Amino acid sequence: MRVLISSIAAHGHTYPLLPFAIAAREAGHEVTYAIAPSFHPLVERLGFRPVAAGGEIREAFGQVWAQSGKDPRDRFSTPPNEVMAMAGRVFGEVLPRRTAADLAPVLAELRPDVVVHEAGDLGAGLAAKVAGIRGLCHGFGRVAGGKMLARAGDHVGGLAAELGLDPAVVAGPGLGDPFLDVCPRSLQDPAFLAAFTPDRAPRVPLRSVPFAEPAPLPAWVGEPGPPLVYLTLGTAFAEGSVLRTAIDGLGRLPARVLVAAGPMIDAALVDDLPDTVRVEQWVPQADVLPHAALVVHHGGSGTTLGALASGVPQLLLPQCADQFDNAGAVLAVGAGRRLLPGEATPDAVAEVASSLLNDPEPRAAAGVVAREIAGMPSPAEVVAALLV
């Protein structure tokens, strides 16, 4: 079977799809990956043929921010509802318009049997419908981060009409296609779950498998010693002052602290570190998580689900986008704590992190969710069921 998989060129949108893509290839299917050029090197390293589709997410956000008359540097102080409104335009209009146009000739030439489109990549799903090709929608996390997707839906109907589609047909989660949901039911938004009525395409549970590009772990990570605390603010919205605050707080603990600065913060600029803290530009997160006693992070979908899959408690420092919803979901199941903007000081970080390291209840709650995730169908099982 010829399979085209498409996602937005961002780590949080692409990494969740790669285990499914790898499973499809291992099952003998011919897999092509559609994504903006910045991610082609990754796709090629994994052995997939890339095709260019869609714009760069930062450029799309820059365009919408500029049209709003706001300074992008104010993104952390802009009210969340305004950020979500702008994100709705990015994911419901700017990016899908470009992706649908780019994929039209690709689909005409390749004629895949199925298009697997990531939940934020609505343009690929629309292009598949225009071409009369079966679509599957692959989630990347909790869909009440679906506030963003719901805002995108406010715009995508107009684009669907321009493409000759009935807007009613593409309404709802996943443009009406079967939805491969990597979020365990206990964390998923109840309103999203309720949308899957008998008259619409199904929600298909799919185990979240943390993905990491192959890279060596610092040798000391797996060595005996004080508990390991892993700190990351992700790849999209990291703020240097928040990272510094977290480092200053965690450096007071009797723990080893591994910091992944990511692409938004230059690790070389994070200096004057406590002796127990080590900063790396990039680490293979999926390989780090099983060693961690605590994960301190921004609340991105991949890190949230990855920590839960490893049964690790979390301290969340949400800043924007779907991070607040993810943090609230972790709190609701008792698997971690949260410090909102304005609450996160070095003292508060140290106090809450110490509590999480010493309190067995959050770890037990995380373990319950880890077992739920482990019981979900694997990518190989879902590939065998759906790619027929």
Side-chain angles (χ1 to χ4, degrees), residues 39-382:
F39 270 62
H40 285 195
L42 167 62
V43 170
E44 290 172 334
R45 284 195 299 273
L46 294 174
F48 298 110
R49 174 197 168 201
V51 295
E56 300 292 345
I57 191 169
R58 297 193 195 286
E59 294 176 3
F61 266 102
Q63 174 184 331
V64 172
W65 274 96
Q67 291 171 349
S68 74
K70 292 182 175 294
D71 187 333
R73 291 173 295 183
D74 296 333
R75 64 188 183 279
F76 292 106
S77 59
T78 300
N81 63 321
E82 293 186 30
V83 175
M84 283 294 180
M86 286 187 276
R89 282 201 56 207
V90 168
F91 290 99
E93 180 183 343
V94 178
L95 288 175
R97 186 181 301 279
R98 168 73 180 273
T99 302
D102 288 346
L103 278 183
V106 172
L107 297 180
E109 177 184 352
L110 186 63
R111 295 306 303 174
D113 300 288
V114 62
V115 171
V116 182
H117 55 97
E118 173 250 318
D121 189 10
L122 301 177
L126 293 174
K129 291 186 181 302
V130 170
I133 297 170
R134 180 165 68 109
L136 299 173
C137 184
H138 193 305
F140 58 84
R142 187 174 189 268
V143 179
K147 287 182 180 176
M148 179 185 71
L149 296 181
R151 293 291 185 91
D154 294 340
H155 298 274
V156 78
L159 178 57
E162 289 179 28
L163 296 172
L165 299 171
D166 181 353
V169 172
V170 300
L175 300 175
D177 291 330
F179 194 101
L180 281 57
D181 190 4
V182 297
C183 186
R185 178 175 282 272
S186 64
L187 257 76
Q188 191 54 278
D189 178 46
F192 170 76
L193 295 172
F196 291 90
T197 54
D199 61 340
R200 64 147 290 145
R203 169 185 175 266
V204 181
L206 170 62
R207 186 188 311 156
S208 174
V209 178
F211 172 84
E213 297 181 55
L217 273 179
W220 57 269
V221 165
E223 296 174 354
L228 176 67
V229 176
Y230 173 57
L231 167 63
T232 177
L233 296 184
T235 59
F237 299 107
E239 173 65 35
S241 63
V242 178
L243 188 74
R244 184 74 243 188
T245 295
I247 288 173
D248 291 343
L250 297 174
R252 304 175 186 180
L253 304 178
R256 300 169 297 159
V257 181
L258 174 60
V259 182
M264 301 294 292
I265 298 172
D266 186 349
L269 300 179
V270 185
D271 56 8
D272 191 24
L273 296 171
D275 292 339
T276 56
V277 177
R278 178 169 174 178
V279 177
E280 300 283 350
Q281 195 72 58
W282 190 271
V283 299
Q285 179 169 288
D287 299 330
V288 171
L289 293 175
H291 297 281
L294 173 66
V295 179
V296 181
H297 68 105
H298 55 304
S301 293
T303 307
T304 300
L305 291 179
L308 287 168
S310 294
V312 184
Q314 308 175 42
L315 167 54
L316 297 106
L317 309 173
Q319 304 297 304
C320 56
D322 59 352
Q323 298 168 7
F324 295 97
D325 284 313
N326 291 334
V330 171
L331 261 67
V333 297
R337 301 270 301 276
R338 172 187 65 191
L339 289 172
L340 296 172
E343 298 176 343
T345 64
D347 287 344
V349 169
E351 178 184 353
V352 176
S354 177
S355 172
L356 288 167
L357 285 170
N358 292 290
D359 184 352
E361 292 189 5
R363 179 169 295 276
V368 171
V369 181
R371 291 188 289 275
E372 180 185 359
I373 292 173
M376 295 168 69
S378 70
E381 291 170 322
V382 175

